[in-house]
Amino acid sequence: MFIRTRCLQITAALASISLLAGCGLLSDDKGDDAKRIVVGTTSAPSTLDPAAAWDGSWELYRNVYQTLVAFPTGSTKPQPDAAQSCEFTDAKNESYRCTLRKGLKFSNGEPLDAKAVKHSLDRIKTIGSMVGPKDLFGSLDKIETPDALTVVFHLNTPDATFPFVLGSPAASLVAPKEYPADKVREDGKVVGSGPYVLDSYKEAGEAVLSGNESYNGFAKRRNSAVTIRYFAESPKMIAALKGKEIDAIYRGLSATEVLDLQSPASHGLGVQVVENVGSEIRYLVFNPKDPSVAKLPVRQAIAQVIDRGTLVSKVYQGTAEPLYSMVPKGVVGHKTPFYDKYGPASVANAKKILRDAGINQPVELTFWYTTDRYGASTAEEFTELKRQLDDSQLFKINLRSAPWKAFQAGYKGQEYPVFGRGWFPDFPDPDNFIAPFVGKENAVGTPYEPNEIMNDLLPRSRREGDRSAGGQAFERAQQIFAEDVRLLPLWQGKLYVAAREDIAGAERALDPQTVMQMWEFYRKTSW
């Protein structure tokens, strides 16, 4: 089992790269704010129940559920949300106490009290969904509720990053009467206490949200209602933006589409693009249960052949950069161990690695990717990976793909020898780029138990209340990843929000977890 900690100093600064001329005054007029904001995305929820999702479903959760603490834009430490205050009560970081705000209620009228918090988090482990966030709570031993407003979390090991977990949508609070303790809710409804209420939901269609007037937390809503529309294909989503059918887009844009939206022609149609400097990464996962990649030299040879620079320039055209560690650039402790160990791409070096291991014929492998989670460029990316490996004449690559739900079940079932995944931070700490990928049960579904990382480096770093003090442990963990090549980092990307020119707030809409905060969008008074 792995425990997740994160002390990453995420560069969550958001900078606009395309501001259109002629800006009007920003509106505080409630009539203007009352106009519904319509946002498009290709990342639809896999479920509406937080106990069964550790994926892009969090985009919706952040807006309809509340957490004890959260990460407002610009913060790298959790701030109170449903809680009035939270703190460790011991020097070992093993007991964490939260005091709730008074008078909190769920949208069905139930009180959001200490018992509701305990119910919400206990059910995550009880249900134990394979695709849920249970592994995030590996350090949680038990929860006590001494009174209606007090929750005490007892940990089974020192874990200074437990507050970061509580600040992620994994710790979304749900109404006990509506969410069974031992099974996932599957009626397509939501009862939460977040900034918005879910009025209706159509799978693969849309989520219709209205402002939750009883919400009491950190978010300051700039609009009264939002509709999130889910698109299967990004071209249709872009056409909807240009045709004024939707107001903004997040997630799912290919590099070509980003460049198109930044063009003068799109500007002329009243579209702006905001570039978000984040820590999104993409990587390959190798499943050693499959004989084709069980041998370390095969994985090392792949690491030696792949030319990240060519991959990024051909497919991502400046919207991403090569990545040589699972801990991305801009995060505390980032190093380049894969470059340090393997250097520039070299077919000759890869051939020597295979020859020295007695592998003298092309290795046939099947690479899997998902068609509807990471955007339209994913297929192009894997086509380029296949081209590079096939051209080396050391490998013969077959490509297979599947929609996200089927893909998720496949990799969790250890059916794929090699597959591509993306990672967005759950909370701002570098541990989140190490811990999720190790342990018998981990985020990628292939057991990986490096003794030094699990029994020394991670426990040691988690005893540090000052999260910046764990840098050396994370640097060593990155070296071990490069030696084992169970994961192969490929690139680090930027996130983009495209919006109509009368929409403001896009530069603040992504929190440090790169989760969309819909309440930041609002309409300008004039243009």
Side-chain angles (χ1 to χ4, degrees), residues 27-36 224 523:
S27 172
D28 288 324
D29 183 281
K30 291 186 178 179
D32 213 17
D33 283 354
K35 295 178 182 178
R36 179 174 294 274
S224 62
R523 295 186 188 280

Side-chain angles (χ1 to χ4, degrees), residues 10-294:
I10 243 178
T11 310
L14 298 123
S16 173
I17 62 171
S18 177
L19 298 178
L20 299 182
C23 293
L25 296 175
L26 303 186
S27 172
D28 288 324
D29 183 281
K30 291 186 178 179
D32 213 17
D33 283 354
K35 295 178 182 178
R36 179 174 294 274
I37 305 292
V38 183
V39 182
T41 179
T42 59
S43 183
S46 57
T47 174
L48 299 186
D49 191 329
W54 192 2
D55 57 24
S57 305
W58 285 13
E59 300 284 4
L60 178 61
Y61 298 171
R62 174 55 79 204
N63 294 277
V64 295
Y65 294 110
Q66 205 168 6
T67 47
L68 289 171
V69 293
F71 296 93
T73 297
S75 68
T76 56
K77 294 182 179 180
Q79 306 296 321
D81 189 9
Q84 177 177 300
S85 63
C86 291
E87 63 180 352
F88 278 106
T89 59
D90 66 326
K92 293 184 178 180
N93 296 325
E94 291 181 328
S95 181
Y96 193 69
R97 178 186 294 264
C98 289
T99 301
L100 294 171
R101 299 178 191 265
K102 293 181 180 179
L104 292 178
K105 292 184 180 296
F106 291 103
S107 58
N108 67 345
E110 275 189 76
L112 198 174
D113 56 14
K115 289 184 178 179
V117 173
K118 177 175 169 59
H119 173 86
S120 299
L121 301 186
D122 279 348
R123 68 189 294 269
I124 294 172
K125 283 194 171 184
T126 300
I127 292 171
S129 170
M130 286 187 65
V131 293
K134 62 183 175 64
D135 294 328
L136 272 171
F137 296 91
S139 64
L140 179 59
D141 183 23
K142 63 180 179 179
I143 303 172
E144 290 184 341
T145 56
D147 59 59
L149 295 179
T150 305
V151 185
V152 181
F153 301 93
H154 295 284
L155 309 182
N156 52 35
T157 185
D159 187 358
T161 64
F162 183 71
F164 291 78
V165 175
L166 290 182
S168 74
S172 295
L173 304 176
V174 299
K177 290 182 181 179
E178 303 281 352
Y179 292 80
D182 57 355
K183 62 180 180 180
V184 175
R185 182 178 184 177
E186 298 179 335
D187 63 356
K189 297 180 180 179
V190 162
V191 177
S193 60
Y196 295 95
V197 173
L198 181 67
D199 294 327
S200 65
Y201 176 75
K202 181 180 179 182
E203 186 172 358
E206 65 179 20
V208 179
L209 314 179
S210 61
N212 180 3
E213 298 305 321
S214 64
Y215 168 72
N216 184 8
F218 80 93
K220 306 300 180 186
R221 209 171 53 248
R222 306 296 300 275
N223 60 67
S224 62
V226 172
T227 294
I228 306 173
R229 290 187 182 168
Y230 302 109
F231 291 81
E233 301 173 354
S234 57
K236 292 182 179 179
M237 181 170 64
I238 292 171
L241 179 68
K242 291 180 176 180
K244 300 183 180 181
E245 297 173 22
I246 61 177
D247 298 304
I249 288 175
Y250 75 97
R251 300 232 195 273
L253 296 175
S254 70
T256 300
E257 290 166 339
V258 169
L259 294 175
D260 170 65
L261 290 171
Q262 292 174 337
S263 70
S266 292
H267 290 184
L269 294 173
V271 174
Q272 60 174 317
V273 179
V274 172
E275 177 185 301
N276 304 294
V277 182
S279 50
E280 171 191 8
I281 68 171
R282 298 291 167 82
Y283 57 97
L284 293 178
V285 182
F286 297 101
N287 179 7
K289 283 188 64 176
D290 191 286
S292 62
V293 289

Side-chain angles (χ1 to χ4, degrees), residues 292 364-368 396-400 416-419:
S292 62
E364 186 167 359
L365 299 169
T366 299
F367 280 28
W368 282 81
K396 177 176 172 47
I397 306 300
N398 303 303
L399 296 182
R400 298 286 302 277
Y416 306 154
V418 186
F419 57 94

Side-chain angles (χ1 to χ4, degrees), residues 368-512:
W368 282 81
Y369 64 92
T370 183
T371 57
D372 58 353
R373 176 59 48 172
Y374 304 124
S377 295
T378 305
E380 298 174 53
E381 175 181 336
F382 275 77
T383 298
E384 173 59 18
L385 290 172
K386 171 180 168 60
R387 185 198 66 76
Q388 291 186 16
L389 291 165
D390 284 353
D391 285 357
S392 73
Q393 299 184 2
L394 302 175
F395 298 95
K396 177 176 172 47
I397 306 300
N398 303 303
L399 296 182
R400 298 286 302 277
S401 62
W404 175 249
K405 284 191 176 181
F407 178 80
Q408 193 176 38
Y411 78 72
K412 283 287 186 178
Q414 299 184 46
E415 298 173 12
Y416 306 154
V418 186
F419 57 94
R421 285 293 312 276
W423 189 253
F424 302 90
D426 300 325
F427 53 84
D429 189 294
D431 180 285
N432 192 236
F433 293 92
I434 301 294
F437 308 111
V438 300
K440 185 175 182 179
E441 297 180 2
N442 59 46
V444 294
T446 56
Y448 175 38
E449 301 176 82
N451 180 65
E452 186 179 353
I453 292 179
M454 296 183 64
N455 299 317
D456 177 24
L457 300 177
L458 289 179
R460 177 156 37 104
S461 72
R462 289 168 181 159
R463 289 192 289 269
E464 297 287 351
D466 176 5
R467 298 305 300 145
S468 63
Q472 289 186 342
F474 294 121
E475 290 175 17
R476 173 58 187 148
Q478 291 171 75
Q479 292 175 351
I480 294 172
F481 276 4
E483 292 164 3
D484 293 347
V485 202
R486 288 289 304 277
L487 305 149
L488 184 62
L490 296 172
W491 56 266
Q492 173 179 354
K494 303 169 186 176
L495 294 177
Y496 295 87
V497 176
R500 301 295 311 172
E501 62 182 1
D502 64 330
I503 299 297
E507 72 282 356
R508 292 183 53 82
L510 290 178
D511 72 4

